[in-house]
């Protein structure tokens, strides 16, 4: 609320005017916040371009920095347009002029003629006749094929009277008046976040086909898509957090820091559900949350509303989730990962062939052999087998662990590895008390590998905002993949549904596991 608005005495206004004033003031405050974010992003872009000579980036670094800054700016602009009532919306410059009218003539063109519902003259004079048409060309992208969709909307008028012209309305587009179809946008998203192609490389690939689409234009498309897909990802996260058992892991997401001319370390936190190993009814899914650091408070924020068992590695940042004072829910029960415990011993064995490490590995292998036997059975059967067969082995391992810690110096490398297992001993036994719990967190580790591949190919995100868009779109793509859904088909369909004003109360229909490909 502005300073002038705060000085007004609203009590003197009639209730209906007071409510309207408060609603308008809230909208102004929201717009001011959006403007501040936009100004901040523009300032960062200018700093990256015109900063001190020592802070200037090389050409490749600048491309990545501008790419994600422009994605963020496009998302802010889309948010601003959504905040303004329909009759007040300004005409937003959706596509750079340099990309208009230069679609190669050799590209295949598919005409979609959209006729009005009726050609009857409103005055009853008979059928209208065609007097012209409007044509729009949008770039559509199919895998390994580019084409131009030409939308033709004939105009009809009556020969007898001059009471009006009939023409079909323009079909809904995600980017109104823009160049790309929803299929083209989906292709760019899959190429960037699944195939690990930065936008400037995609621009180069298109140029080889004679299509001059600048990287900044592609960034605009991604930003608009990221804005409109956010409610779907938020709903996906809500759905996952209704479960009582989830996996969580985090991986680095290097982010460019233009002020210092180098990268800083951000993190993508993966929150996943995968109950397939025991035949759970809930579909698998994953959401990647971006945070500028690895502090446990980020995990606490991302897990707001979740109560139950969390399967994790040994990172101590998760310890705050088990405290009675945990924010956002009850203290979680942690299930630690036996694969991590095994790796500690494997490191020692590979280094010096330790017989103690070899014995630990043998004991863990016996526990894993039981897990292999019961994989795919129902939780009750898994729990019964574990209590009967695994519990004695785990107890014996615990006794062996304590005996070795008394023999080995705590400062030795082996002593440090044994101490690690000891610190997480309670969590390593959680799988013995619940048949739904896995013996390790390998399921979520497999889901952070695509992030690592993208990191390797794209090197880093260009901005914190780019890290958030990265996590958001990767969430949908990876959830598609683990549900056997083709990501391009899903994103094309979902973006088309959003463009057509898909009802907000049916957002669950847009979740990846509910996608039904057209036949």
């Amino acid at each position: 609320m502005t300073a002038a608005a705060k000085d007004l005495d609203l009590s003197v206004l009639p209730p209906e005017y007071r409510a309207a004033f408060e609603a308008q003031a809230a909208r102004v405050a929201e717009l001011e916040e959006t403007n501040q974010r936009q100004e901040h992003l523009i300032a960062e872009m200018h700093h990256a371009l015109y900063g001190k000579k020592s802070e200037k980036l090389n050409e490749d670094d600048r491309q990545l920095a501008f790419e994600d800054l422009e994605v963020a700016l496009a998302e802010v602009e889309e948010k601003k347009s959504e905040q303004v009532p329909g009759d007040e919306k300004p005409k937003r410059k959706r596509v750079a002029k340099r990309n208009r009218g230069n679609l190669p003539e050799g590209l295949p063109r598919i005409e979609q003629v959209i006729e009005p519902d009726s050609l009857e003259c409103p005055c009853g004079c008979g059928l209208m006749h065609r007097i012209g048409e409007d044509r729009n060309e949008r770039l559509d992208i199919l895998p390994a094929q580019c084409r131009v969709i030409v939308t033709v909307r004939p105009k009809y008028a009556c020969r007898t009277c001059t009471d009006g012209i009939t023409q079909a309305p323009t079909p809904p587009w995600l980017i109104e008046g823009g160049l790309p179809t929803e299929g083209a946008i989906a292709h760019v998203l899959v190429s960037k976040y699944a195939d690990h192609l930065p936008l400037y490389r995609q621009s180069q690939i298109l140029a080889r086909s004679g299509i001059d689409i600048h990287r900044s234009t592609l960034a605009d498309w991604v930003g608009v898509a990221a804005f409109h897909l956010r409610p779907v990802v938020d709903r996906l996260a809500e759905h996952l957090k209704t479960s009582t058992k989830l996996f969580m892991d985090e991986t680095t997401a290097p982010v460019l820091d233009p002020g210092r001319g180098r990268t800083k370390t951000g993190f993508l936190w993966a929150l996943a559900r995968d109950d397939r190993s025991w035949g759970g009814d809930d579909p698998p899914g994953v959401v990647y949350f971006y945070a500028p650091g690895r502090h446990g408070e980020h995990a606490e924020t991302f897990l707001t509303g979740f109560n139950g068992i969390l399967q994790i590695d040994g990172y101590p940042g998760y310890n705050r989730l088990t405290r009675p004072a945990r924010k956002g829910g009850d203290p979680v029960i942690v299930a630690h990962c036996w694969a991590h415990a095994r790796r500690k011993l494997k490191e020692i064995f590979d280094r010096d062939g330790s017989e103690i490490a070899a014995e630990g590995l043998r004991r863990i292998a016996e526990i894993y052999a039981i897990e292999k036997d019961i994989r795919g059975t129902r939780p009750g059967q898994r729990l019964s087998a574990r209590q009967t067969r695994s519990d004695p082995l785990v107890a014996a391992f615990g006794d062996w662990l304590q005996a070795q810690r008394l023999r080995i110096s705590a400062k030795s490398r082996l002593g440090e590895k044994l101490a690690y297992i000891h610190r997480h001993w309670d969590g390593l036994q959680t799988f013995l008390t619940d048949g739904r719990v896995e013996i390790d967190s390998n399921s979520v580790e497999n889901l952070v590998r695509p992030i690592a591949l993208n990191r390797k190919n794209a090197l880093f995100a260009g901005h914190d905002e780019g890290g958030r868009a990265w996590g958001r779109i990767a969430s949908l793509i990876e959830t598609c993949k683990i549900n056997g859904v083709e990501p391009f088909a899903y994103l094309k369909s979902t973006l088309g549904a959003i463009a057509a004003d898909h009802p907000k109360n049916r957002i669950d229909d847009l979740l990846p596991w509910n996608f039904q490909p057209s036949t």
Side-chain angles (χ1 to χ4, degrees):
M1 187 177 294
T2 63
K6 291 180 180 178
D7 294 335
L8 292 176
D9 184 5
L10 301 182
S11 62
V12 302
L13 297 175
E16 61 272 20
Y17 291 116
R18 189 184 312 134
F21 181 89
E22 291 175 345
Q24 188 72 7
R27 188 162 68 87
V28 169
E30 188 177 4
L31 283 170
E32 287 177 347
E33 181 182 353
T34 302
N35 283 334
Q36 289 177 357
R37 181 185 173 204
Q38 185 179 36
E39 290 170 1
H40 172 71
L41 291 170
I42 292 174
E44 289 202 2
M45 182 177 288
H46 277 270
H47 182 74
L49 184 61
Y50 304 113
K52 295 179 181 178
K53 185 175 182 180
S54 61
E55 296 177 346
K56 284 190 176 181
L57 309 169
N58 62 42
E59 184 59 27
D60 285 343
D61 289 349
R62 267 214 307 268
Q63 292 284 353
L64 288 168
F66 293 162
E67 178 174 307
D68 282 326
L69 279 168
E70 287 163 346
V71 167
L73 282 170
E75 186 174 352
V76 171
E77 289 178 7
E78 190 70 8
K79 182 177 181 180
K80 286 177 66 175
S81 70
E82 293 291 321
Q83 291 171 335
V84 178
D87 54 352
E88 300 178 17
K89 286 186 179 181
K91 294 292 185 180
R92 176 179 176 269
K93 187 182 75 171
R94 296 285 185 171
V95 183
K97 291 182 179 180
R98 60 179 171 272
N99 290 316
R100 286 193 177 278
N102 64 351
L103 295 174
E105 292 295 329
L107 284 181
R109 277 163 168 76
I110 299 175
E111 291 195 357
Q112 298 176 331
V113 181
I114 305 174
E115 296 281 3
D117 293 335
S118 174
L119 299 181
E120 292 287 339
C121 178
C123 299
C125 305
L127 292 177
M128 295 181 173
H129 71 280
R130 185 167 176 168
I131 62 171
E133 65 186 24
D134 286 337
R135 300 174 70 90
N136 300 96
E137 292 193 349
R138 297 192 297 156
L139 176 66
D140 189 31
I141 298 178
L142 297 176
Q145 178 185 7
C146 294
R147 63 183 184 180
V148 178
I149 300 297
V150 181
T151 301
V152 181
R153 297 185 298 122
K155 294 181 178 180
Y156 293 89
C158 179
R159 292 184 183 274
T160 304
C161 69
T162 59
D163 285 351
I165 297 174
T166 294
Q167 185 181 36
T170 303
W173 299 344
L174 190 72
I175 299 182
E176 184 179 349
L179 190 68
T181 64
E182 288 68 45
I185 299 173
H187 175 82
V188 172
L189 295 179
V190 171
S191 296
K192 177 172 173 62
Y193 296 105
D195 300 331
H196 322 302
L197 281 174
L199 298 184
Y200 75 93
R201 293 179 187 166
Q202 293 190 50
S203 177
Q204 294 169 352
I205 292 170
L206 289 170
R208 292 200 293 268
S209 298
I211 304 171
D212 183 18
I213 303 292
H214 195 267
R215 168 197 45 74
S216 62
T217 301
L218 299 179
D220 185 81
W221 299 357
V222 174
V224 171
F227 171 80
H228 287 290
L229 290 171
R230 179 173 183 172
V232 182
V233 179
D234 289 346
R235 179 57 187 142
L236 174 59
E238 291 174 4
H239 201 287
L240 294 183
K241 287 191 284 188
T242 60
S243 303
T244 56
K245 185 188 74 68
L246 294 174
F247 297 88
M248 197 170 203
D249 196 8
E250 73 289 334
T251 188
T252 56
V255 174
L256 196 63
D257 189 356
R260 296 188 297 170
R262 56 190 179 91
T263 60
K264 59 183 179 181
T265 303
F267 286 84
L268 283 171
W269 299 67
L271 182 65
R273 176 179 65 202
D274 191 349
D275 299 338
R276 291 174 292 180
S277 62
W278 50 269
D281 295 328
D282 292 328
V286 61
V287 171
Y288 302 95
F289 300 93
Y290 174 80
R294 200 188 181 195
H295 302 297
E297 62 190 29
H298 297 304
E300 192 170 39
T301 299
F302 300 146
L303 286 168
T304 297
F306 168 74
N307 293 298
I309 299 172
L310 189 66
Q311 299 212 230
I312 54 177
D313 58 21
Y315 174 52
Y318 293 112
N319 292 345
R320 64 189 297 139
L321 301 173
T322 65
R323 299 170 184 169
R326 176 206 164 193
K327 297 178 182 178
D330 300 329
V332 301
I333 301 170
V334 297
H336 283 125
C337 176
W338 275 91
H340 279 77
R342 182 185 180 281
R343 288 172 200 164
K344 300 297 181 182
L345 296 175
K346 188 70 164 56
E347 290 173 12
I348 299 298
F349 178 77
D350 289 343
R351 180 173 178 265
D352 54 24
S354 166
E355 293 184 3
I356 294 176
E359 174 65 14
L361 292 172
R362 184 191 64 77
R363 290 174 178 269
I364 294 175
E366 291 179 344
I367 302 172
Y368 264 93
I370 298 172
E371 290 299 308
K372 182 178 180 180
D373 289 343
I374 63 177
R375 185 170 184 80
T377 60
R378 300 299 295 178
Q381 294 173 279
R382 281 159 54 109
L383 180 59
S384 177
R386 287 170 176 175
Q387 290 177 340
T388 304
R389 301 170 59 190
S390 302
D391 201 340
L393 296 178
V394 172
F397 184 94
D399 294 339
W400 173 85
L401 176 66
Q402 295 304 325
Q404 302 311 313
R405 292 188 68 228
L406 293 174
R407 295 175 52 198
I408 303 297
S409 170
K411 295 182 180 180
S412 67
R413 288 178 58 86
L414 177 57
E416 291 174 355
K417 305 302 183 183
L418 296 176
Y420 170 91
I421 300 174
H422 173 72
R423 285 196 304 272
H424 301 96
W425 186 242
D426 289 344
L428 288 170
Q429 297 180 81
T430 304
F431 83 107
L432 298 173
T433 63
D434 192 321
R436 301 170 305 152
V437 176
E438 298 303 321
I439 192 173
D440 54 39
S441 56
N442 286 350
S443 294
V444 70
E445 286 198 11
N446 291 335
L447 292 172
V448 299
R449 286 177 184 168
I451 300 298
L453 286 172
N454 204 48
R455 181 175 66 222
K456 179 179 179 181
N457 286 271
L459 301 182
F460 45 78
H463 191 270
D464 284 333
E465 296 285 351
R468 294 185 181 92
W470 179 2
R472 191 178 305 158
I473 298 171
S475 299
L476 296 176
I477 288 175
E478 295 306 319
T479 299
C480 279
K481 287 162 66 174
I482 59 179
N483 281 278
V485 173
E486 203 283 301
F488 170 79
Y490 164 77
L491 286 171
K492 178 181 178 181
S493 174
T494 300
L495 293 174
I498 292 172
D501 292 327
H502 184 86
K504 293 182 179 179
N505 61 357
R506 291 176 49 204
I507 195 168
D508 281 8
D509 295 347
L510 301 182
L511 295 176
W513 51 71
N514 289 327
F515 173 67
Q516 297 294 329
S518 56
T519 56

